[in-house]
Amino acid sequence: MTWYNELKFTKNPLDIRPNPNLIGLKEQEKEIVNHILKEDICFVNGLTGSGKSSMLLRIQRILKNHEFIFLDAHDLPTKFSLEKELKKKRNFFDKITFREFPKEKPVLIIDEFQATDPRLILNARSKWENPDKRFIKSIIIAQISKHLDNCSKSFKERVGSKVVAIRPLRHDELKEMLKRRLFNRKIKTNFVDKFNEGALDLIVKSAGKNPRKVLEYAEMIFDYHHKRFDDINPIKGKNYEISHHVVRQILEENNVYVEAAKKSKVAKAAKEKVEEAVSKTKKALPDGVENEVLEFVNAEPRTIKDVAKYFKISNGKAKKIIDHLKKVNHLVPKGKKGRMRLWEVGAETKRLMVES
């Protein structure tokens, strides 16, 4: 028996997989739907765990009168054929009238777009853009990075300003997410009420306001009680409260770093320091070269040599830029590539980049 079966849930309410029951992203939802109805290309951008895949799933639930082809670029087989996928969408009347492709054009969604084969991008674009062979209604692409590195300049121009940024959820919205997930209609009990406010606040802060981690850390608490107490699990009792101290103990036992969440003033001061550093960096570089480097490294960890090659500058100049970004806490080390140090964008800076 699992912890959620013990609490009379039929399935895991804290499952981290995409879930269309989103919180606080109504404006982004409207934007994407509008782009689809206008038969546009649209780029959905957001950090890992921010809800991109859940949003794409929700859009498919909302537009029930549309056909969708959903592709996860990471999982596509080598011999994937867009033509075959399109033909699968033909209805009975399409087949008896010998239509090669469906009359009702489907919407193409490509998640993890950075891993997409450029040839597939060209093929999809031609089937959306060509007036004589227009078999796709709209193209929605999604990825973490703001930079579209694997497609042509003309494709980027087609995307233009049609970008929907999945914003980070606020503290109260993340708590509301747990409240919705942990309500058991069968027994009319909301297990979020087992936590005191301090305990919920610690989960959200320790997760860095990442929705996926909030769910993961909340599940740690329930799973811990289930495995430790078995049939006498106190969560099933009426008067048991999960305190701030209990949450900290369980998270630390699971190697979750909670030190930064102990004092909200310290965490706030650290964020303000990063924001100030970002502001100073932008003012000191009117040509935006450091911001461009941050965007490039944000796509995936890079070495000084990678930066020099991409921006066509010397290794020495690339090193100066990396050293400065490191100094103001924008970049942090991330292992090595051969003998060279890899750098990635720090968590706070990533958040600020999405919010800006």
Side-chain angles (χ1 to χ4, degrees):
M1 180 182 287
T2 63
W3 69 266
Y4 52 88
N5 291 143
E6 183 183 23
L7 300 181
K8 309 301 181 185
F9 287 100
T10 54
K11 58 184 179 180
N12 186 356
L14 299 176
D15 194 332
I16 63 171
R17 287 174 291 189
N19 187 311
N21 187 17
L22 290 171
I23 300 288
L25 295 172
K26 285 292 181 184
E27 288 304 313
Q28 289 81 356
E29 176 188 304
K30 287 179 183 177
E31 283 186 67
I32 298 170
V33 168
N34 188 46
H35 285 306
I36 290 174
L37 296 179
K38 293 192 300 178
E39 303 193 8
D40 282 337
I41 291 180
C42 172
F43 174 25
V44 181
N45 172 247
L47 295 175
T48 301
S50 62
K52 293 187 304 302
S53 297
S54 292
M55 176 62 79
L56 298 178
L57 181 60
R58 181 170 177 79
I59 294 300
Q60 294 176 71
R61 298 279 182 91
I62 293 170
L63 297 175
K64 294 179 180 178
N65 60 334
H66 283 62
E67 285 290 342
F68 289 88
I69 296 175
F70 180 88
L71 307 178
D72 184 331
H74 274 317
D75 296 331
L76 288 181
T78 308
K79 296 182 179 180
F80 172 79
S81 169
L82 181 56
E83 284 76 11
K84 287 183 180 179
E85 289 300 312
L86 281 166
K87 288 176 182 178
K88 289 178 184 177
K89 299 299 178 181
R90 292 179 299 168
N91 60 29
F92 174 75
F93 294 103
D94 290 327
K95 291 176 181 177
I96 64 172
T97 54
F98 302 102
R99 296 185 66 89
E100 184 180 8
F101 296 107
K103 182 179 180 181
E104 295 298 323
K105 300 186 292 293
V107 176
L108 176 63
I109 297 178
I110 308 178
D111 201 5
E112 303 295 348
F113 182 73
Q114 73 282 352
T116 310
D117 187 328
R119 291 171 296 181
L120 172 57
I121 299 171
L122 287 171
N123 192 2
R125 176 183 163 183
S126 69
K127 287 177 170 53
W128 168 76
E129 189 176 56
N130 189 330
D132 298 321
K133 296 181 179 180
R134 189 169 287 165
F135 304 123
I136 292 174
K137 177 172 183 172
S138 174
I139 301 176
I140 309 299
I141 59 177
Q143 66 178 35
I144 298 169
S145 173
K146 293 180 181 179
H147 280 285
L148 299 173
D149 293 329
N150 64 329
C151 56
S152 66
K153 183 179 178 181
S154 61
F155 186 86
K156 295 177 189 177
E157 289 172 351
R158 291 290 186 275
V159 174
S161 61
K162 295 183 280 289
V163 179
V164 178
I166 303 297
R167 66 170 176 82
L169 296 183
R170 298 191 309 269
H171 193 96
D172 61 306
E173 289 173 333
L174 290 163
K175 289 165 73 172
E176 177 63 24
M177 176 183 72
L178 287 178
K179 185 176 180 180
R180 289 193 190 183
R181 292 287 195 104
L182 289 170
F183 178 63
N184 189 325
R185 289 180 175 79
K186 187 187 297 183
I187 59 174
K188 297 181 180 178
T189 301
N190 198 324
F191 287 94
V192 80
D193 295 334
K194 295 294 180 180
F195 296 89
N196 66 26
E197 284 300 310
L200 285 175
D201 288 339
L202 186 57
I203 289 173
V204 173
K205 290 176 183 177
S206 298
K209 295 187 179 180
N210 181 308
R212 189 179 297 170
K213 287 191 177 297
V214 169
L215 296 172
E216 180 186 339
Y217 293 172
E219 181 168 15
M220 282 182 187
I221 310 306
F222 287 101
D223 208 34
Y224 174 91
H225 283 79
H226 170 68
K227 289 187 290 189
R228 178 164 182 178
F229 298 105
D230 201 16
D231 292 336
I232 55 169
N233 188 344
I235 288 179
K236 294 188 292 184
K238 289 184 178 180
N239 301 318
Y240 180 70
E241 179 180 78
I242 302 171
S243 71
H244 172 275
H245 300 292
V246 169
V247 168
R248 175 175 292 146
Q249 176 190 338
I250 295 170
L251 292 180
E252 287 178 344
E253 285 185 14
N254 283 275
N255 300 312
V256 174
Y257 180 69
V258 296
E259 187 68 28
K262 288 181 181 178
K263 296 181 180 180
S264 59
K265 290 182 180 179
V266 174
K268 185 178 180 181
K271 181 176 180 180
E272 288 173 353
K273 185 177 179 182
V274 173
E275 288 173 338
E276 183 181 356
V278 171
S279 177
K280 287 179 179 178
T281 298
K282 289 179 179 177
K283 289 176 183 176
L285 288 159
D287 62 351
V289 64
E290 288 198 1
N291 289 327
E292 291 178 16
V293 171
L294 273 179
E295 294 284 2
F296 178 59
V297 177
N298 194 36
E300 62 180 77
R302 315 279 190 179
T303 66
I304 289 172
K305 191 174 179 180
D306 292 333
V307 172
K309 183 178 178 181
Y310 184 82
F311 290 96
K312 298 179 182 178
I313 58 177
S314 67
N315 286 344
K317 187 172 181 181
K319 185 177 185 302
K320 285 183 181 179
I321 295 171
I322 294 293
D323 285 345
H324 182 258
L325 291 172
K326 174 192 171 187
K327 187 177 180 180
V328 293
N329 299 318
H330 293 326
L331 295 182
V332 295
K334 177 71 175 179
K336 287 189 174 183
K337 180 181 177 181
R339 294 184 178 182
M340 300 197 73
R341 173 76 66 187
L342 278 167
W343 298 93
E344 71 173 0
V345 177
E348 287 295 332
T349 302
K350 279 188 177 182
R351 194 171 299 117
L352 290 170
M353 288 169 73
V354 171
E355 291 173 351
S356 63

